[in-house]
Amino acid sequence: MVSTREARAGWLFVLPWVAGFLLLTAGPMLYSLYLSFTHYDLLKPPRFAGLQNYREILLDGRAATALWNTVFYTVLHVPAQIVLALGLASLLRRAGRSAGLFRTVLFLPTMTPPVALAALFLLLLNGQNGAVNAVLGWFGFSGPQWTTDPAWIKPGLVLMSLWTVGSTAVLYLAALTRVPAERYEAARLDGASAWRQFWHVTLPGISGTVYFTLVVNTIASLQVFTEAYTMFFGARPSTPAEGDAALFYVIYLFQEAFGSLRMGYASALAWVLFLVIAVITVVQVRLSRDYVHYEDRS
Amino acid sequence: MTRWPVAGLLALLVAGCGGLGPSAADRPDTLVTTGFGLPDEHATARVDVFRQRRPEVDLRINEGAFDEQQFLSAVAAGDPPDLVYADRRKLGGYAARGAVQDLGPCLRRQGVDLARYRAAAVRQVTYGNVVYGVPDFFTVRVLVLNNPVLRQAGIDPASVSTSDWTALARMAEKLARVQDGRIERIGFDPRMPEFLALWSKANGADLVSDGPHLDDPRVVEAVRYTADLVRAQGGWAAFRAFRDTFDSFGANNELVTGQVAAMAIDSWYVNTLAANSPQVDVTVVPFTDRQGAVLTEAGGQAWAIPQGARHPELACEFIATMTAADTWVTAAKARRDALAKKGKPYSGTFTANRVADEKIFGEVYDPRGIPVLEQGVRVLRSVQDRSFALPPSPAASDLVRSWESAVARALLGGQSPQEAMRQAQREAERAITRVGGR
């Protein structure tokens, strides 16, 4: 039983967070919800517009393009990130004594600032002189124009995003070490192949972590901004010469807000994205009941 | 017992919200600027002139690139800077939104005669017959030709012109070098989509006048022509990727290395060439329309006073001082002397003030025999008063985005030039309606 005095002290300790949340998160969110029903250009007071902004989104071809680009990127990026991270974590687990060193090396790229990363990959992915195409050339492949051909811009960005796979791999490595060794032993005694061991022992054993990274990476991918903005829009808030191939949803939202000064419309775009993310997350939560295995519930 | 910590915390929160005292900008004799930096003597020497004239003024230069959101938020919050320095093309939108002040009365009081300024620059800062800004620097657009590459191909640089589009296309194809999809040299870079207004004007069409004319058949023809030029030189994806590899601001720029034979470019690049590769063998020639008349597009920055500025009269005096011919000459001399100490030439200062330019190029200009300056600056000066500028528009950002996006689609072959520009026109009209309606 918590005494009144302890309860007060508890509230006092959480007060800075509560105040910060109300002032800096909940307040702006509610204000942006209000703005989404208005026309507002920063200078004149907001004018009520009802559902006009939301109706306009339905008819806005660029919003549709931006949403399509974002979903396309997410569908490529999230599975690629999970599969590669899992592969690297599995290798790391076998690294023995040097696992610590490799874990550090693998995690280090995550520390690279996104803007520096984008600038670096503009050079690496250049279709004429880039290192990526040079390597492909050694194997007899003629690489694409990663940074200027609309068909290859999103795959190029996915390739770049794998630079930070280390953070997910480290999580998987921690999860893999927690899978009880006796389960593998029992599986081996039953004659299970390496693939069956992975499918029936490893994957269920780390499904909670995989699920966590799936949700977090999906949300992050749907909000992708910095790298694409730096690479294709950086110098001026207009259209890059590659057209709309790198126009992701949050970039479009940013352009509408700070390029065209349509704060009401941009707020409506933000709330549509919020709803999209909420729906996808709810679906993921529902599916997790059938596919995610937690030790404490078994 | 818990009251005092709670009270202390609330006090901290309130203090964190600000508003406990007047802003520094409220003090008399204080001037706060935004968007203006102090990168060289053009800025520092002019600021020094003002400081010497008004030593009692606390001039606060907030250096860094102009941040539109920060500026407009400050105006909306009633806490604007006293002065804003921005691209002239942005002023129309600010004027339409009431974010900047009418400068007419104060400029008259300060004795600023806008007739001494280049007409295209003044047009860019005039919205609805009201002047909202004073032009500062002045840039134009020209062609730069790589002499050794042209001569090697048997082409006389003096014969190159944008008047005969068929001949230009033939020359571009002849000079371009493409091997197995890899571009080794661009024959002629039309600089699209950035130079669409110039190509359209060369074909007899105003991209924007009383409204946008993005789907004008002559604009469409200009888009088709330049898209075909690029397609014949390897296609837009490879062309653009190749351009991204250039060391444009280095000693081994694309003209020195022979990666480009000819290109349309902004005039400031001539200064860059002179500074980084003074011995580069190039010819600067004017851009011409299809009838052979010299044509160029003006650009540059302007000073303006935001709505709600605390010291508008002082700000106006600052603008008048910064853009006065004598101040420009002082800055030009300071710049020349600083460069001379490093053994570098002074390539001149291109301002929107015609009187200033005459004095600078008559008294201060010091090309030191650098070929690109000796020949190029003469051409740049000769085209300055042949320049045009698009009229200010309240939806300027949206218009630029519409047409640049359309040209990109046409360059990539995703849409025909006609379809792309029709879509751009629809988007531009919608943007203007939206801004007008708000």
Side-chain angles (χ1 to χ4, degrees), chain A residues 42 47 56 128 148 241 260 262, chain B residues 76 182 237 240 398 434 437:
Chain A
L42 279 181
R47 288 191 297 107
E56 201 178 317
Q128 294 286 304
T148 51
S260 303
R262 286 195 281 270
Chain B
R182 279 176 66 90
R240 176 65 201 256
D398 294 285
R434 277 194 300 211

Side-chain angles (χ1 to χ4, degrees), chain A:
Chain A
M1 186 70 183
V2 179
S3 70
T4 312
R5 194 175 164 188
E6 282 173 332
R8 270 192 200 154
W11 275 108
L12 197 60
F13 277 116
V14 297
L15 189 60
W17 182 86
V18 171
F21 175 76
L22 290 175
L23 284 172
L24 304 174
T25 305
M29 274 183 77
L30 289 174
Y31 189 61
S32 86
L33 182 63
Y34 157 69
L35 285 183
S36 74
F37 297 106
T38 68
H39 294 316
Y40 180 46
D41 68 357
L42 279 181
L43 291 165
K44 299 185 195 103
R47 288 191 297 107
F48 188 68
L51 291 171
Q52 197 180 327
N53 288 328
Y54 289 95
R55 273 199 296 269
E56 201 178 317
I57 290 173
L58 295 176
L59 303 172
D60 185 346
R62 290 193 92 219
T65 302
L67 188 60
W68 161 247
N69 287 342
T70 308
V71 170
F72 185 96
Y73 172 82
T74 303
V75 167
L76 282 183
H77 164 78
V78 176
Q81 180 94 0
I82 288 175
V83 169
L84 186 63
L86 199 49
L88 287 170
S90 301
L91 287 175
L92 271 180
R93 198 178 164 214
R94 291 155 198 255
R97 281 187 184 175
S98 36
L101 173 70
F102 284 118
R103 201 167 50 217
T104 308
V105 169
L106 202 61
F107 192 77
L108 271 178
T110 310
M111 312 297 283
T112 316
V115 173
L117 186 65
L120 172 69
F121 269 81
L122 263 183
L123 299 175
L124 295 178
L125 291 172
N126 185 283
Q128 294 286 304
N129 288 345
V132 173
N133 279 3
V135 172
L136 288 173
W138 297 341
F139 300 99
F141 297 108
S142 171
Q145 305 291 342
W146 298 98
T147 55
T148 51
D149 182 344
W152 286 98
I153 282 176
K154 285 184 282 292
L157 283 166
V158 170
L159 197 65
M160 180 180 78
S161 72
L162 297 179
W163 179 264
T164 57
V165 73
S167 55
T168 308
V170 168
L171 288 175
Y172 289 165
L173 181 63
L176 284 172
T177 55
R178 285 204 313 271
V179 180
E182 55 267 29
R183 288 191 192 164
Y184 289 105
E185 201 179 322
R188 274 197 299 274
L189 287 173
D190 287 345
S193 63
W195 170 249
R196 282 194 166 273
Q197 284 179 45
F198 173 78
W199 192 252
H200 293 289
V201 178
T202 307
L203 217 47
I206 63 166
S207 58
T209 308
V210 173
Y211 169 63
F212 169 75
T213 56
L214 173 73
V215 172
V216 169
N217 277 327
T218 303
I219 292 172
S221 301
L222 290 169
Q223 295 176 335
V224 60
F225 177 82
T226 310
E227 290 88 342
Y229 191 82
T230 307
M231 285 175 84
F232 300 105
F233 298 84
R236 56 208 174 108
S238 185
T239 308
E242 294 71 40
D244 286 340
L247 183 72
F248 292 111
Y249 196 87
V250 179
I251 291 177
Y252 182 54
L253 190 161
F254 181 84
Q255 283 185 342
E256 286 296 304
F258 303 114
S260 303
L261 302 177
R262 286 195 281 270
M263 295 295 165
Y265 188 62
S267 298
L269 283 169
W271 277 93
V272 168
L273 180 63
F274 179 80
L275 287 176
V276 168
I277 290 174
V279 167
I280 291 173
T281 307
V282 166
V283 170
Q284 288 173 332
V285 170
R286 288 272 161 87
L287 289 174
S288 76
R289 290 175 191 161
D290 295 330
Y291 296 105
V292 179
H293 170 82
Y294 292 101
E295 286 296 316
D296 55 351
R297 290 185 200 164
S298 58

Side-chain angles (χ1 to χ4, degrees), chain B residues 35-357:
Chain B
F36 185 69
L38 299 168
D40 60 25
E41 294 73 20
H42 286 136
T44 53
R46 287 195 291 156
V47 166
D48 286 346
V49 170
F50 179 78
R51 283 197 164 124
Q52 280 160 17
R53 224 170 260 182
R54 298 296 299 263
E56 75 283 10
V57 174
D58 179 12
L59 180 62
R60 298 177 177 209
I61 310 271
N62 289 331
E63 289 198 65
F66 174 63
D67 184 331
E68 187 167 58
Q69 183 217 350
Q70 191 184 45
F71 165 62
L72 292 173
S73 303
V75 174
D79 185 25
D82 294 298
L83 290 141
V84 58
Y85 186 76
D87 189 316
R88 289 201 284 272
R89 286 170 297 187
K90 289 187 175 290
L91 271 189
Y94 300 154
R97 290 180 164 93
V100 287
Q101 298 186 19
D102 172 3
L103 296 190
C106 92
L107 292 181
R108 275 193 293 279
R109 283 195 295 277
Q110 292 291 336
V112 175
D113 180 6
L114 286 175
R116 294 179 167 196
Y117 288 73
R118 298 193 190 283
V122 174
R123 190 178 189 212
Q124 287 180 303
V125 296
T126 308
Y127 181 71
N129 291 323
V130 174
V131 174
Y132 287 96
V134 178
D136 202 57
F137 285 101
F138 190 82
T139 62
V140 290
R141 293 176 161 175
V142 289
L143 304 182
V144 175
L145 313 176
N146 195 334
N147 294 338
V149 173
L150 263 68
R151 288 192 192 113
Q152 202 176 20
I155 297 169
D156 178 5
S159 70
V160 178
S161 126
T162 48
S163 298
D164 184 344
W165 284 13
T166 310
L168 185 66
R170 261 202 313 270
M171 182 201 82
E173 211 166 334
K174 184 176 179 183
L175 291 168
R177 257 200 223 148
V178 185
Q179 291 266 323
D180 303 325
R182 279 176 66 90
I183 300 179
E184 290 170 4
R185 183 166 69 212
I186 287 173
F188 177 73
D189 185 352
R191 219 74 197 176
M192 290 288 265
E194 301 94 315
F195 284 24
L196 175 64
L198 187 57
W199 283 102
S200 300
K201 187 85 171 171
N203 204 26
D206 285 316
L207 201 55
V208 181
S209 54
D210 48 336
H213 306 292
L214 311 187
D215 59 351
D216 183 305
R218 291 165 298 179
V219 174
V220 173
E221 191 185 2
V223 174
R224 181 174 294 116
Y225 172 73
T226 49
D228 287 346
L229 266 185
V230 170
R231 195 168 303 120
Q233 299 179 78
W236 181 241
F239 190 95
R240 176 65 201 256
F242 183 59
R243 212 158 71 171
D244 287 345
T245 66
F246 296 166
D247 179 21
S248 297
F249 296 92
N252 288 318
N253 55 65
E254 60 267 37
L255 292 159
V256 170
T257 55
Q259 290 168 300
V260 169
M263 61 183 181
I265 194 79
D266 282 305
S267 54
W268 53 260
Y269 196 62
V270 173
N271 295 8
T272 304
L273 282 176
N276 299 328
S277 51
Q279 295 311 316
V280 66
D281 185 7
V282 296
T283 302
V284 179
V285 295
F287 196 99
T288 48
D289 67 15
R290 297 187 79 175
Q291 283 68 49
V294 171
L295 183 68
T296 190
E297 187 180 356
Q301 300 79 15
W303 289 100
I305 302 178
Q307 206 62 255
R310 272 95 154 176
H311 313 97
E313 206 53 46
L314 195 54
C316 195
E317 187 183 333
F318 177 84
I319 293 176
T321 305
M322 292 291 278
T323 57
D326 290 345
T327 312
W328 274 118
V329 172
T330 304
K333 285 178 179 165
R335 180 76 185 138
R336 179 197 60 191
D337 296 346
L339 287 167
K341 277 184 193 159
K342 296 177 192 165
K344 290 190 169 185
Y346 167 61
S347 51
T349 307
F350 295 89
T351 81
N353 184 329
R354 256 190 282 107
V355 179
D357 276 14

